[in-house]
Amino acid sequence: MLKELIGPFMAALFGITFLFVVDFLVKILDNVLSKGLPASTVLEIFALNLAWMLSLSIPMAVLVACLMAFGRLSGDHEITAVKAAGVSPLSLMRPVMLVAMLLSVLMVLFNNWVLPEANHRSVELMNAISRKKPHVFVDAGRLITQFPDVQLWVNRIDPVSGVLYGIQVYEMERKGPPRVVYADSATLDYVDNGATLMFRLRSGETHIVDPDKPENYFRIRFFSQDLAMQNVDERLERRSRSYRSDREMPVEMMMDVVNEARAKYDTVSQQAMKVRLSTLADAKASVLGDSILPADAEGIAELDSVQARRSLQKMRLQEISALRTTERLWGRMESEKKREAQYLVEIHKKFSTSFACFIFILIGAPLGIMARKGGIGTGIIYSLAFFVIYWICLIGGENLADRLIISPELAMWSSNMIIGAFGVFITIAMVRDRFTGDSKFFRAMRAIGRWFRSIGRGHA
């Protein structure tokens, strides 16, 4: 059985990873190629991002391999022969389930140690690349901040001539307000062997405020003007980055953040309680008049009306101030709670997605046996269907947990529980021969597959 699974698993792993690689290259190809990077740096980018691709493609490959392998055995009537020999199909699943459990443990180690470090180094490398030749990030319709001490806005770029239209340049001075330059159009040139990027501005205005006398405002119109910006040279300058996001941390580092968030939550909660108690005490003191005024209802009624109104106004102001303080403290408490939930979600995700390898065995093996149709088409259709369901539950649960609607544990393990429960159900049905390849479920799945194939032939 293990030999039967090796071929489909490797083929599925290569195919799924290849799709991720193509999608990734399409997104970054223009920026990477325009940097003039050496082949070793391009390979490093690919290797670092291969980590997150494998973390997604391995569970998918397990599901595809099970469907294809068990589907071929069922299609060639080998499962029927095994049953005739008095051997349960569940016995064929046992070695596969043991290997899947081992693979899940290895995926936990991979997701906890290799993936965060690869993500961290990838972010450092991409930051270094973004500082190399920042002119390639000049794009229409967005604020460009890669140039030192300069922010740039471009309304439109001619795709043929490369002329920039609707230019707005904000030169950020260390002291005083920025100098603003508007131009109808501009072209780009290199000077000083590429060390400086020259903007040839046409038909514009320069707006300047005198830093010594802010009441003096100057507007200078020009027909043509050259604006020099510092460009980054050809060196790829790498800088260490101490900050790590949740996707760049192992479980141990994330637990430190969780414990810190919990400690801050408790501290802020105690502050909110002190504010509430202090407000009640101040209100009582205002009414009782430092314990000299009578405390019963008849004594309060005898107070001078002006003094009573002042006391009530003072108490009202104290209540408003305390309410605002309490609202700020509650906001900080909610923020710490969300931060705790965010990191707990990532912790449980490392384990739940790893054990998806084992869960998908419970789906792939019985489906492949009962469908009685092998081949890549059946494996892809069934795999996509269940993997979409799995990730919808996972992403939806993550959003709900980040909003503190459900717990992070339930958010990350609900997809495994749903898919696993269905897997146990169809496994029991397979052992009892409750469903066959001619059942309504499999007829519907095959009809969907034929529809997709007809669409593909129509486009071809």
Side-chain angles (χ1 to χ4, degrees):
M1 281 307 308
L2 297 180
K3 290 181 180 179
E4 187 73 24
L5 283 168
I6 291 176
F9 175 78
M10 297 304 297
L13 181 62
F14 176 80
I16 296 170
T17 306
F18 178 76
L19 294 178
F20 283 126
V21 170
V22 170
D23 180 68
F24 175 74
L25 291 179
V26 168
K27 292 179 179 178
I28 70 165
L29 194 60
D30 291 339
N31 289 337
V32 169
L33 291 181
S34 61
K35 299 289 187 176
L37 299 174
S40 59
T41 304
V42 177
L43 290 177
E44 185 179 0
I45 296 173
F46 170 77
L48 291 175
N49 286 274
L50 192 62
W52 67 262
M53 299 177 192
L54 290 176
S55 67
L56 297 178
S57 60
I58 288 178
M60 294 180 67
V62 170
L63 180 57
V64 174
C66 282
L67 285 165
M68 292 177 62
F70 283 93
R72 191 204 67 79
L73 293 176
S74 181
D76 293 346
H77 302 287
E78 295 186 34
I79 299 297
T80 304
V82 168
K83 290 181 180 179
V87 179
S88 171
L90 191 60
S91 301
L92 302 179
M93 295 175 55
R94 288 172 184 168
V96 182
M97 294 172 68
L98 290 176
V99 173
M101 180 60 69
L102 176 62
L103 183 61
S104 297
V105 174
L106 294 177
M107 285 297 298
V108 169
L109 300 177
F110 179 85
N111 290 339
N112 188 45
W113 294 107
V114 179
L115 182 59
E117 191 63 28
N119 289 339
H120 181 65
R121 294 188 180 184
S122 176
V123 172
E124 288 184 340
L125 180 58
M126 295 307 294
N127 287 341
I129 293 174
S130 67
R131 293 189 295 267
K132 179 182 173 67
K133 287 186 179 180
H135 70 275
V136 300
F137 289 95
V138 175
D139 197 6
R142 69 182 185 89
L143 187 64
I144 301 157
T145 60
Q146 278 78 12
F147 296 102
D149 299 326
V150 175
Q151 294 183 358
L152 179 68
W153 177 273
V154 179
N155 287 337
R156 183 173 64 89
I157 300 177
D158 192 312
V160 178
S161 63
V163 178
L164 287 66
Y165 294 96
I167 314 299
Q168 301 179 32
V169 182
Y170 303 88
E171 294 186 274
M172 312 301 294
E173 300 290 343
R174 293 185 178 180
K175 294 182 179 180
R179 185 176 72 161
V180 184
V181 181
Y182 300 96
D184 292 339
S185 62
T187 57
L188 296 179
D189 291 325
Y190 291 103
V191 296
D192 299 334
N193 296 323
T196 303
L197 187 63
M198 190 68 70
F199 282 77
R200 311 290 184 180
L201 303 175
R202 297 293 182 270
S203 301
E205 296 179 348
T206 301
H207 297 255
I208 306 174
V209 177
D210 190 346
D212 298 327
K213 296 182 178 180
E215 64 273 11
N216 294 336
Y217 183 85
F218 302 95
R219 185 177 68 173
I220 305 171
R221 296 179 180 176
F222 60 85
F223 176 74
S224 65
Q225 178 176 301
D226 293 343
L227 180 63
M229 293 187 186
Q230 180 184 357
N231 192 22
V232 180
D233 58 17
E234 297 298 321
R235 295 174 299 176
L236 186 65
E237 182 183 359
R238 303 199 186 199
R239 301 175 184 175
S240 60
R241 179 170 167 268
S242 59
Y243 172 75
R244 289 176 180 253
S245 65
D246 52 358
R247 299 181 187 273
E248 302 171 46
M249 293 182 180
V251 172
E252 294 78 8
M253 294 180 65
M254 286 192 288
M255 282 304 303
D256 292 339
V257 178
V258 170
N259 294 331
E260 179 185 356
R262 289 173 176 172
K264 288 185 177 180
Y265 177 87
D266 294 337
T267 301
V268 176
S269 177
Q270 293 175 2
Q271 292 178 359
M273 183 61 66
K274 290 180 180 179
V275 169
R276 182 176 178 84
L277 294 176
S278 176
T279 303
L280 293 176
D282 292 341
K284 184 177 179 180
S286 298
V287 175
L288 297 180
D290 298 330
S291 301
I292 298 175
L293 300 176
D296 57 349
E298 294 180 358
I300 295 176
E302 295 175 357
L303 290 174
D304 182 77
S305 60
V306 176
Q307 185 179 1
R309 283 196 299 270
R310 289 177 179 176
S311 299
L312 293 175
Q313 290 176 356
K314 182 180 178 180
M315 183 173 63
R316 180 61 176 169
L317 291 175
Q318 290 175 344
E319 290 178 352
I320 293 174
S321 176
L323 180 61
R324 292 175 179 175
T325 303
T326 304
E327 288 178 351
R328 289 195 297 268
L329 293 175
W330 275 104
R332 290 176 57 188
M333 292 170 61
E334 184 179 6
S335 176
E336 295 299 332
K337 204 67 177 177
K338 287 183 177 180
R339 187 160 72 111
E340 176 189 351
Q342 174 189 351
Y343 283 87
L344 283 176
V345 162
E346 289 298 323
I347 291 174
H348 287 282
K349 185 191 293 185
K350 291 181 182 296
F351 293 93
S352 64
T353 55
S354 300
F355 281 95
C357 297
F358 178 79
I359 297 298
F360 286 155
I361 296 294
L362 300 177
I363 293 288
L367 277 182
I369 292 174
M370 293 187 292
R372 297 183 181 179
K373 292 287 183 179
I376 188 67
T378 301
I380 290 177
I381 292 172
Y382 289 178
S383 300
L384 284 178
F386 283 100
F387 210 76
V388 166
I389 295 173
Y390 180 86
W391 280 104
I392 287 176
C393 295
L394 196 69
I395 295 173
E398 182 176 357
N399 291 332
L400 294 176
D402 289 340
R403 294 160 56 187
L404 303 179
I405 297 177
I406 61 176
S407 65
E409 295 82 1
L410 179 61
M412 291 296 98
W413 288 98
S414 59
S415 53
N416 283 14
M417 291 187 291
I418 294 173
I419 299 295
F422 182 75
V424 172
F425 171 74
I426 61 174
T427 300
I428 295 174
M430 174 201 66
V431 173
R432 297 179 178 179
D433 289 329
R434 294 284 300 274
F435 297 125
T436 65
D438 296 327
S439 63
K440 294 181 180 179
F441 174 78
F442 295 106
R443 288 201 300 268
M445 295 296 291
R446 287 196 290 270
I448 295 174
R450 288 193 298 270
W451 181 67
F452 276 111
R453 288 193 291 270
S454 65
I455 293 178
R457 288 193 296 269
H459 286 294

